[in-house]
């Protein structure tokens, strides 16, 4: 597609943390042209005020769903809070019938008419879709940590997750209040979190999920404990994951326990610390770390758009990863 004109992209909710990361990715993507970045709170301000590396004099626009027809875009990315995407989709579809829509929120993750964008596990469907529901950040990490062994699970796995406070968004709340978070760890929910439903639905296995937020800004660490149908060793468990992800450039497998500070940032995901209990060879654990703003959101979204548009899957992605250096 290098000889074609750039694909026009409109980003709704560009001021948010994920929107900013996606703008940063677009700097290095030759095939996508940003025609609109909307933010009601930042309207009229230059994009360089939040993305200093941005080239040009584009400014944030104040756009409502009723103004969709005024914008000519081939791709619409919705980076708005949960339960707000439907009004935008309802406006985009009649005005731009052929457009691709990607929703970064949770509104369409359970809709069979939308393609679930867990990239490495759904590439074929993503290549032909025009409606993409991007997975949640916790749900992304948990599924990558469970997919290779989902057929070997003897009971619902237990997932203990800790996220940086950027995962709580910009709207002030106890979950992103530095004073409340100082020397503290706050549970999001002790049951019924939307990501628990998301993981269970798309994994095809019931899981137990306990998310928390801590005082660091970005990144997620997930400790996953599971009971397996057969006895394993640390090595045999690790080898299952190495075999599953050996051809995936963004997925790193290691014997050591991965840490969030190793990301710094990274468009990929790390799985390690494979441990089988010496007292019970069917009881195992592992750790997954990822950047909630990148592989948990923006760079996974760009992987999905690249596939849907026929670009190389990693176009614009690796510029947000230390592995590109």
């Amino acid at each position: 597609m290098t000889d074609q004109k750039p694909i026009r992209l409109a980003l709704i909710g560009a001021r948010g943390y994920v929107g900013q990361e996606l703008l940063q990715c677009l700097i290095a993507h030759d095939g996508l042209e940003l025609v609109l970045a909307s933010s009601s709170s930042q309207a009229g301000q230059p994009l360089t005020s939040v993305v200093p590396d941005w080239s040009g004099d584009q400014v944030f626009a104040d756009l409502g769903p009723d103004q969709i027809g005024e914008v000519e875009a081939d791709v619409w990315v919705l980076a708005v809070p949960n339960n707000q995407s439907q009004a935008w989709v309802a406006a985009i579809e009649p005005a731009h019938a052929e457009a691709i829509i990607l929703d970064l929120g949770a509104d369409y993750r359970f809709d069979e008419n939308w393609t679930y964008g867990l990239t490495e596990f759904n590439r074929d469907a993503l290549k032909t879709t025009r409606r993409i529901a991007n997975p949640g950040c916790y749900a992304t990490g948990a599924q990558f940590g469970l997919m290779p062994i989902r057929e070997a699970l003897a009971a619902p796995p237990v997932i203990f997750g800790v996220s940086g406070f950027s995962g709580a968004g910009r709207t002030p709340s106890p979950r992103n209040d530095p004073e409340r978070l100082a020397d503290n760890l706050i549970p999001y929910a002790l049951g019924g979190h939307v990501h628990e439903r998301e993981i269970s639905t798309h994994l095809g296995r019931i899981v137990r999920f306990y998310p928390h937020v801590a005082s660091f800004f970005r990144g997620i660490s997930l400790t996953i404990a599971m009971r397996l149908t057969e006895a394993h060793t640390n090595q045999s468990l690790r080898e299952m994951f190495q075999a599953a992800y050996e051809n995936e450039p963004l997925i790193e497998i290691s014997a050591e326990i991965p840490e969030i500070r190793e990301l710094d940032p990274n468009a990929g995901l790390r799985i390690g610390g494979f441990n089988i209990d010496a007292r019970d060879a069917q009881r195992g654990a592992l750790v997954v770390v990822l950047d909630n703003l990148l592989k948990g959101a923006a760079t996974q979204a760009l992987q999905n758009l690249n596939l849907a548009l026929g670009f190389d899957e990693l176009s614009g992605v690796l510029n947000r990863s230390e592995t590109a250096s």
Side-chain angles (χ1 to χ4, degrees):
M1 299 184 67
T2 55
D3 294 332
Q4 297 184 12
K5 292 182 179 179
I7 302 296
R8 299 166 297 181
L9 183 146
L11 174 59
I12 306 298
R15 179 181 177 271
Y17 295 130
V18 175
Q20 289 183 32
E21 292 293 344
L22 190 54
L23 287 174
Q24 189 70 45
C25 292
L26 292 176
I27 293 173
H29 199 304
D30 295 333
L32 292 172
E33 175 190 357
L34 183 75
V35 296
L36 173 85
S38 81
S39 169
S40 57
S41 63
Q42 293 288 106
Q45 296 297 312
L47 268 60
T48 52
S49 64
V50 296
V51 184
D53 294 334
W54 191 264
S55 176
D57 57 0
Q58 282 179 282
V59 300
F60 289 103
D62 185 4
L63 186 85
D66 59 333
Q67 299 169 294
I68 287 294
E70 301 173 13
V71 180
E72 290 299 325
D74 309 297
V75 176
W76 293 80
V77 177
L78 307 179
V80 297
N82 292 343
N83 303 315
Q84 293 188 19
S85 295
Q86 295 183 29
W88 289 97
V89 172
I92 294 167
E93 288 186 329
H96 305 282
E98 299 301 315
I100 290 174
I101 306 175
L102 183 144
D103 182 25
L104 282 153
D107 293 24
Y108 294 97
R109 292 175 190 160
F110 307 100
D111 190 327
E112 294 182 354
N113 296 312
W114 285 60
T115 301
Y116 186 64
L118 194 68
T119 314
E120 284 79 355
F121 291 95
N122 215 7
R123 285 190 174 103
D124 289 343
L126 287 162
K127 290 176 181 178
T128 59
T129 191
R130 307 197 81 75
R131 299 291 181 268
I132 303 169
N134 226 57
C137 52
Y138 275 124
T140 293
Q143 288 178 86
F144 275 96
L146 287 168
M147 281 290 192
I149 56 170
R150 64 177 175 177
E151 302 300 331
L153 295 171
V158 177
I159 307 162
F160 180 86
V162 181
S163 171
F165 64 85
S166 60
R170 289 185 177 274
T171 302
S173 77
R175 295 169 181 167
N176 56 21
D177 181 350
E179 292 186 9
R180 178 76 176 270
L181 289 170
D183 301 316
N184 201 8
L185 184 68
I186 302 176
Y188 267 89
L190 298 179
H193 191 280
V194 65
H195 286 190
E196 180 177 88
R197 179 188 169 203
E198 181 181 344
I199 299 162
S200 297
T201 298
H202 294 287
L203 185 69
R205 297 288 186 275
I206 298 298
V207 305
R208 303 289 180 244
F209 174 52
Y210 302 99
H212 298 67
V213 62
S215 59
F216 56 89
F217 178 66
R218 64 193 299 161
I220 288 176
S221 179
L222 297 158
T223 298
I224 303 177
M226 75 286 288
R227 183 156 188 83
L228 302 167
T229 55
E230 297 179 355
H232 276 274
T233 65
N234 295 355
Q235 180 177 344
S236 68
L237 184 60
R238 184 175 72 250
E239 287 175 349
M240 291 177 67
F241 280 76
Q242 288 173 331
Y245 296 126
E246 63 179 347
N247 296 317
E248 297 298 347
L250 297 182
I251 312 302
E252 180 180 336
I253 307 299
S254 67
E256 294 74 27
I257 298 172
E259 298 181 14
I260 289 172
R261 65 180 181 175
E262 299 168 357
L263 295 170
D264 192 33
N266 195 304
L269 177 150
R270 298 182 179 182
I271 307 172
F274 300 95
N275 181 267
I276 294 295
D277 194 325
R279 301 161 298 176
D280 183 350
Q282 290 179 250
R283 181 183 175 192
L286 56 84
V287 174
V288 180
V289 297
L290 70 157
D291 189 317
N292 56 299
L293 301 180
L294 294 180
K295 185 58 174 170
T299 54
Q300 183 163 229
L302 193 53
Q303 282 181 269
N304 293 333
L305 288 176
N306 283 334
L307 288 170
L309 293 166
F311 294 119
D312 182 280
E313 183 183 317
L314 298 182
S315 293
V317 171
L318 288 181
N319 73 304
R320 298 300 295 138
S321 170
E322 64 182 1
T323 60
S325 61

